[in-house]
């Protein structure tokens, strides 16, 4: 389905969404346990239009996982030094070791998207990237790293509505940068850049998976379900946990409450 076409159908009801998401998050915990115990290495790339829901989907994935073994990488613009490095170099240091999951909130594909459209790289650098990216990913996969690539697709109408929602919400206003707003005036430039990127980097060994994202809830459910299917974990559940008894009272006396500095109970006003 084209990025310019809205996704049909009604939005998933919140109750059904939350129940399914909870079940999937339990599966993610089981999957992570398997990844840790087997030394599996997993890289997941999240790309797509601005406002397509990459960050929110990543948050739902990581919400119940152990942060020591699962981390999100969202790199800022390269420094002057990094601009002189091999393009993929600053991403390599974030790749997973044994038992780790790394989620890239945008990735080396910046060069095929925003850098290409906004003129932050030269045509020669862009051509070189399109040739090198499949080779780079093949090297990762052949070294034992599982690479999964998602493109979150949103219609022009859906993006406009989310821009408006963010503009009205003070807690989300920071998400609207000048670069985000430029996505509107370069809508078809980004479409052409994405098509060219897919033509060169959607390979049998490292394919792209498109997620329709006008309905955020559906997108999260669909993506997480698909991701779980990309990892060969067995889905074992932990054994029931029996809590030990509280230590027997040995005469401990707690200091008076006045001896401590307490945070004011402002929340009491809400009761």
């Amino acid at each position: 389905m084209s990025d310019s076409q809205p996704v049909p159908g009604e939005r998933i009801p919140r109750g059904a969404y939350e129940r399914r998401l909870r079940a999937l998050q339990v599966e993610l915990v089981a999957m992570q346990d398997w990844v840790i115990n087997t030394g599996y290495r997993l890289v997941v790339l999240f790309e797509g239009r601005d406002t397509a829901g990459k960050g929110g989907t990543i948050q739902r994935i990581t919400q119940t996982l152990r942060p020591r073994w699962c981390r999100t990488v969202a790199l800022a613009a390269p420094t002057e030094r990094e601009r002189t490095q091999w393009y993929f170099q600053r991403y390599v240091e974030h790749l997973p070791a044994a038992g780790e999951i790394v989620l890239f909130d945008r990735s080396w594909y910046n060069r095929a998207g925003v850098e290409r459209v906004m003129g932050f790289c030269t045509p020669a650098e862009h051509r070189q990237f399109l040739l090198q990216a499949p080779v780079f990913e093949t090297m990762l996969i052949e070294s034992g790293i599982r690479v999964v690539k998602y493109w979150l697709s949103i219609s022009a109408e859906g993006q406009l509505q989310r821009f408006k929602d963010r503009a009205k919400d003070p807690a989300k206003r920071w998400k609207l940068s000048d670069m985000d707003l430029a996505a509107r005036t370069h809508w078809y430039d980004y479409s052409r850049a994405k098509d060219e990127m897919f033509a060169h980097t959607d390979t049998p060994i490292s394919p792209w998976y498109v997620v329709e994202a006008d309905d955020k809830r559906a997108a999260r459910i669909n993506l997480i379900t698909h991701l779980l299917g990309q990892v060969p974990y067995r889905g074992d559940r932990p054994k029931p946990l029996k809590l030990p008894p509280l230590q027997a009272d040995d005469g401990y006396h707690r200091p008076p409450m006045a001896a401590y500095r307490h945070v004011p109970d402002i929340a009491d006003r809400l009761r």
Side-chain angles (χ1 to χ4, degrees):
M1 182 174 292
S2 167
D3 280 345
S4 63
Q5 298 295 321
V7 176
E10 296 184 358
R11 195 179 188 192
I12 297 176
R14 179 174 292 277
Y17 161 72
E18 291 180 346
R19 288 189 295 273
R20 183 57 182 159
L21 178 62
R22 173 62 180 173
L24 290 172
Q25 288 177 328
V26 171
E27 287 297 319
L28 285 169
V29 171
M31 183 265 281
Q32 185 185 40
D33 286 342
W34 181 88
V35 168
I36 294 171
N37 292 332
T38 61
Y40 199 76
R41 292 176 290 169
L42 176 62
V43 166
V44 188
L45 310 187
F46 293 82
E47 296 288 344
R49 299 276 189 177
D50 292 307
T51 77
K54 298 177 292 296
T57 302
I58 291 172
Q59 289 174 8
R60 272 62 179 187
I61 292 173
T62 61
Q63 190 172 3
T64 56
L65 299 184
R66 285 179 267 182
R68 180 178 177 183
W69 298 92
C70 176
R71 65 181 184 274
T72 301
V73 177
L75 299 184
T79 64
E80 288 299 322
R81 179 177 180 275
E82 287 172 334
R83 289 190 181 97
T84 68
Q85 296 175 341
W86 176 49
Y87 177 73
F88 296 94
Q89 188 169 336
R90 72 184 188 128
Y91 295 98
V92 169
E93 63 179 293
H94 297 284
L95 294 174
E100 294 181 346
I101 301 170
V102 176
L103 312 176
F104 280 92
D105 186 352
R106 296 200 181 277
S107 65
W108 44 86
Y109 282 100
N110 274 340
R111 174 136 295 178
V114 64
E115 291 190 20
R116 171 75 173 93
V117 172
M118 303 305 294
F120 298 152
C121 68
T122 66
E125 289 172 331
H126 177 247
R127 288 193 298 270
Q128 184 181 61
F129 170 82
L130 293 178
L131 292 174
Q132 289 187 347
V135 178
F136 175 64
E137 289 165 14
T138 298
M139 292 171 63
L140 298 183
I141 293 166
E142 290 181 345
S143 71
I145 297 176
R146 180 72 171 97
V147 178
V148 185
K149 303 186 300 190
Y150 290 111
W151 177 270
L152 279 72
S153 178
I154 187 172
S155 66
E157 296 82 358
Q159 185 187 70
L160 177 60
Q161 184 57 52
R162 291 182 190 177
F163 275 148
K164 290 179 177 179
D165 292 342
R166 291 178 179 184
K168 292 186 296 185
D169 188 343
K172 296 181 178 180
R173 179 63 181 79
W174 63 270
K175 293 185 177 183
L176 286 179
S177 67
D178 292 340
M179 200 62 62
D180 295 326
L181 297 177
R184 299 289 299 172
T185 57
H186 291 278
W187 178 268
Y188 293 106
D189 295 331
Y190 275 107
S191 295
R192 294 185 183 94
K194 184 262 291 184
D195 293 344
E196 186 176 11
M197 178 186 79
F198 268 48
H200 287 82
T201 64
D202 183 22
T203 63
I205 193 173
S206 183
W208 280 101
Y209 296 103
V210 177
V211 183
E212 300 294 350
D214 272 47
D215 182 341
K216 284 185 179 181
R217 295 171 185 170
R220 292 165 185 168
I221 296 301
N222 292 336
L223 190 151
I224 296 173
T225 301
H226 183 271
L227 176 61
L228 288 167
Q230 304 306 301
V231 180
Y233 77 106
R234 295 181 300 177
D236 292 343
R237 295 294 176 272
K239 297 178 181 179
L241 182 64
K242 183 177 180 181
L243 298 178
L246 183 68
Q247 180 183 10
D249 187 353
D250 59 359
Y252 167 76
H253 294 286
R254 184 178 183 179
M257 298 294 287
Y260 302 101
R261 297 179 181 85
H262 289 269
V263 172
D265 188 7
I266 305 300
D268 183 57
R269 303 173 188 173
L270 305 177
R271 295 189 177 96

